[in-house]
């Protein structure tokens, strides 16, 4: 149980284009999803928290107009990197958390998406 | 937010117990200690968490000192597949947020 998938696993795009990354909880309902970014040889940095049906809450320093997050259902959240630039190249990882008190009441992480912007 | 301090790296022989320490001296009484690990180029994997009491599951044991200022993650019989970066995290009080530190790189050798 507690499987989280991400698609795509890697993507290469040109500077100025937008890229959408999907995060799905496959066998449980995720009331909360989180998006992280990880640069090479660094730790994970939380970007934003999203609850199903609500607007995402962004961490300080993360541009909400650049990183659009949608959590439209209990099993799907998307992160869109708009007008991507080379400095946005990173490893993007999502996590999903189920209902409080339930068996999936922790953050379970997806495998990550490697974004390279040329 | 409570911060954690972990050794940068550790080695462990295959088959032996791996004991990974973590200091969290500023932890509040109702903040949980979580452990995750990250194998290279993958998403983190949940290992275990605890509040006050020692905890054990199929992956590991978590020993929390009585004053809660430090804890130790124990992998009882390390294998080569346990080579990873191990993160000790104090969950932010009254939220679901996990703030990752730099972790301990555990290398298990044959």
């Amino acid at each position: 149980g507690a499987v989280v998938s991400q698609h795509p696993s890697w993507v290469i795009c040109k500077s100025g284009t937008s890229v959408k990354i999907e995060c799905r909880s496959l066998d449980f309902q995720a009331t909360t999803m989180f998006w992280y970014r990880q640069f090479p040889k660094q730790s994970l940095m939380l970007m934003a928290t999203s609850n199903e049906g609500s607007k995402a809450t962004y961490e300080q320093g993360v541009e909400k107009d650049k990183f659009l997050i949608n959590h439209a259902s209990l099993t799907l959240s998307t992160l869109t990197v708009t007008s991507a630039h080379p400095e946005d190249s990173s490893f993007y990882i999502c996590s999903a958390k189920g209902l409080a008190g339930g068996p999936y009441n922790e953050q379970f992480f997806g495998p990550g998406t490697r974004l390279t912007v040329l | 937010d409570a911060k954690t301090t972990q050794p940068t790296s550790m080695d462990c022989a295959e088959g032996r117990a791996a004991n990974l320490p973590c200091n969290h001296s500023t932890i509040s009484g109702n903040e949980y200690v979580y452990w995750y690990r990250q194998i290279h180029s993958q998403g983190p994997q949940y290992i275990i968490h605890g509040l006050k009491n020692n905890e054990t599951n199929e992956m590991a044991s978590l020993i929390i000192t009585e004053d809660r200022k430090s804890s130790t993650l124990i992998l009882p019989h390390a294998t080569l597949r346990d080579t990873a970066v191990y993160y000790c995290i104090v969950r932010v009080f009254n939220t679901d947020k996990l703030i990752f530190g730099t972790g301990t790189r555990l290398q298990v050798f044959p």
Side-chain angles (χ1 to χ4, degrees), chain B residues 51-88:
Chain B
L51 182 63
K52 296 179 184 178
N53 300 322
N54 298 336
E55 302 288 344
T56 295
N57 62 21
E58 63 278 5
M59 288 184 68
S61 295
L62 173 60
I63 309 298
I64 302 175
T65 58
E66 195 169 338
D67 63 7
R68 302 188 69 243
K69 293 185 177 182
S70 65
S71 61
T72 300
L73 178 75
I74 301 173
L75 307 178
H77 305 286
T79 71
L80 298 178
R81 287 177 295 182
D82 292 323
T83 293
V85 177
Y86 287 77
Y87 295 99
C88 168

Side-chain angles (χ1 to χ4, degrees), chain B:
Chain B
D1 301 344
K3 291 184 178 179
T4 61
T5 305
Q6 299 177 252
T8 303
S9 63
M10 294 182 64
D11 291 338
C12 178
E14 190 177 21
R16 304 296 293 270
N19 297 286
L20 291 87
C22 179
N23 287 320
H24 31 78
S25 58
T26 60
I27 193 170
S28 300
N30 44 15
E31 289 180 320
Y32 284 78
V33 179
Y34 279 75
W35 284 83
Y36 281 79
R37 72 180 182 184
Q38 185 178 26
I39 296 170
H40 183 62
S41 295
Q42 296 182 24
Q45 177 188 23
Y46 168 79
I47 300 174
I48 200 168
H49 75 280
L51 182 63
K52 296 179 184 178
N53 300 322
N54 298 336
E55 302 288 344
T56 295
N57 62 21
E58 63 278 5
M59 288 184 68
S61 295
L62 173 60
I63 309 298
I64 302 175
T65 58
E66 195 169 338
D67 63 7
R68 302 188 69 243
K69 293 185 177 182
S70 65
S71 61
T72 300
L73 178 75
I74 301 173
L75 307 178
H77 305 286
T79 71
L80 298 178
R81 287 177 295 182
D82 292 323
T83 293
V85 177
Y86 287 77
Y87 295 99
C88 168
I89 304 162
V90 173
R91 195 179 79 186
V92 179
F93 172 65
N94 217 25
T95 76
D96 292 323
K97 289 178 12 175
L98 300 175
I99 307 300
F100 283 74
T102 53
T104 295
R105 183 172 299 277
L106 175 68
Q107 178 69 52
V108 180
F109 57 91

Side-chain angles (χ1 to χ4, degrees), chain A residues 32 34 36 38 43-44 46 49 59 91 93 97 106-111 114, chain B residues 34 36 38 41-46 49 87 91 96-102:
Chain A
T32 308
F34 305 81
Y36 296 80
Q38 185 175 32
S43 188
L44 283 78
L46 179 64
T49 303
E59 295 298 301
F91 192 47
I93 311 170
K97 180 179 178 297
E106 309 305 335
Q107 286 191 39
F108 296 97
F109 285 79
R114 188 160 302 282
Chain B
Y34 279 75
Y36 281 79
Q38 185 178 26
S41 295
Q42 296 182 24
Q45 177 188 23
Y46 168 79
H49 75 280
Y87 295 99
R91 195 179 79 186
D96 292 323
K97 289 178 12 175
L98 300 175
I99 307 300
F100 283 74
T102 53

